[in-house]
Amino acid sequence: MADRNITGTLSPEDIQEIKAALQIIEQKMPFLIALTAQERRKLFKMGDKSLAFVTNSVNAAQSNREILPASFDIEQFIQDYQLATTLSELLISIRQLTEQVDDTLLAVGSEAMLGSLTVYDYVKRAAKKTPGLKTVAELLSDRFKAISKGRAAKTSGS
């Protein structure tokens, strides 16, 4: 990754509009559900390899309605297929957006951490001569206590 300096901002109004847009998306899909891990394992999965099978099954059902039992709800079957393909298409867009948000968060978080390390270094140096900064330096050093304890344990255990 090239050294990027992310300089974006979101106003409180932007944040509210984004949250409202996400709520609209949820409202447009009131049928969304949440499955447990066990429920997910039990279900048939329609991945890319199965899509052709399902598409051909829909075509076969539409062309040969007379061979299907009266109890088979072909309209519901077609509706399920159409919703599945639409959701698959939407999921690609949502995953692309999620990936961009995740990558941006990782990069901007890294920038914030690098800036924080610089501030910490200056605070540590200034704490030696500037009254009142020792407490701030100790507060900032809490981030590294667990790391140094872990290193000490590995060194003594070797």
Side-chain angles (χ1 to χ4, degrees):
M1 176 182 109
D3 188 25
R4 296 182 183 177
N5 186 14
I6 298 169
T7 57
T9 61
L10 290 171
S11 70
E13 294 81 16
D14 290 338
I15 295 167
Q16 286 304 317
E17 287 178 19
I18 291 167
K19 288 180 178 181
L22 291 171
Q23 287 178 338
I24 290 170
I25 292 169
E26 287 184 53
Q27 291 167 1
K28 294 288 184 181
M29 297 188 289
F31 48 81
L32 294 178
I33 62 170
L35 298 171
T36 65
Q38 184 177 8
E39 289 170 327
R40 291 179 69 84
R41 280 192 297 274
K42 289 181 180 180
L43 292 175
F44 280 104
K45 313 300 186 287
M46 187 183 87
D48 292 338
K49 293 179 183 176
S50 299
L51 183 58
F53 172 74
V54 175
T55 301
N56 290 334
S57 296
V58 167
N59 292 336
Q62 287 176 317
S63 299
N64 301 285
R65 292 174 185 254
E66 70 281 356
I67 66 166
L68 299 172
S71 61
F72 184 81
D73 189 344
I74 189 168
E75 299 310 320
Q76 182 62 50
F77 172 56
I78 293 168
Q79 185 179 349
D80 290 344
Y81 165 73
Q82 290 170 337
L83 183 58
T85 56
T86 301
L87 288 174
S88 292
E89 180 183 328
L90 291 173
L91 187 58
I92 290 169
S93 297
I94 291 168
R95 283 185 175 157
Q96 287 174 331
L97 178 62
T98 301
E99 186 177 330
Q100 289 177 311
V101 170
D102 190 48
D103 288 349
T104 305
L105 175 58
L106 180 64
V108 78
S110 178
E111 289 176 8
M113 278 301 295
L114 289 172
S116 295
L117 291 171
T118 301
V119 169
Y120 176 52
D121 189 46
Y122 283 112
V123 168
K124 281 192 311 186
R125 289 182 201 173
K128 295 174 185 174
K129 298 178 184 174
T130 308
L133 279 182
K134 184 176 181 183
T135 302
V136 175
E138 289 174 359
L139 176 70
L140 293 174
S141 72
D142 284 347
R143 163 66 178 87
F144 301 101
K145 286 183 181 174
I147 294 171
S148 59
K149 285 181 185 177
R151 286 183 186 150
K154 286 181 183 179
T155 306
S156 64
S158 300

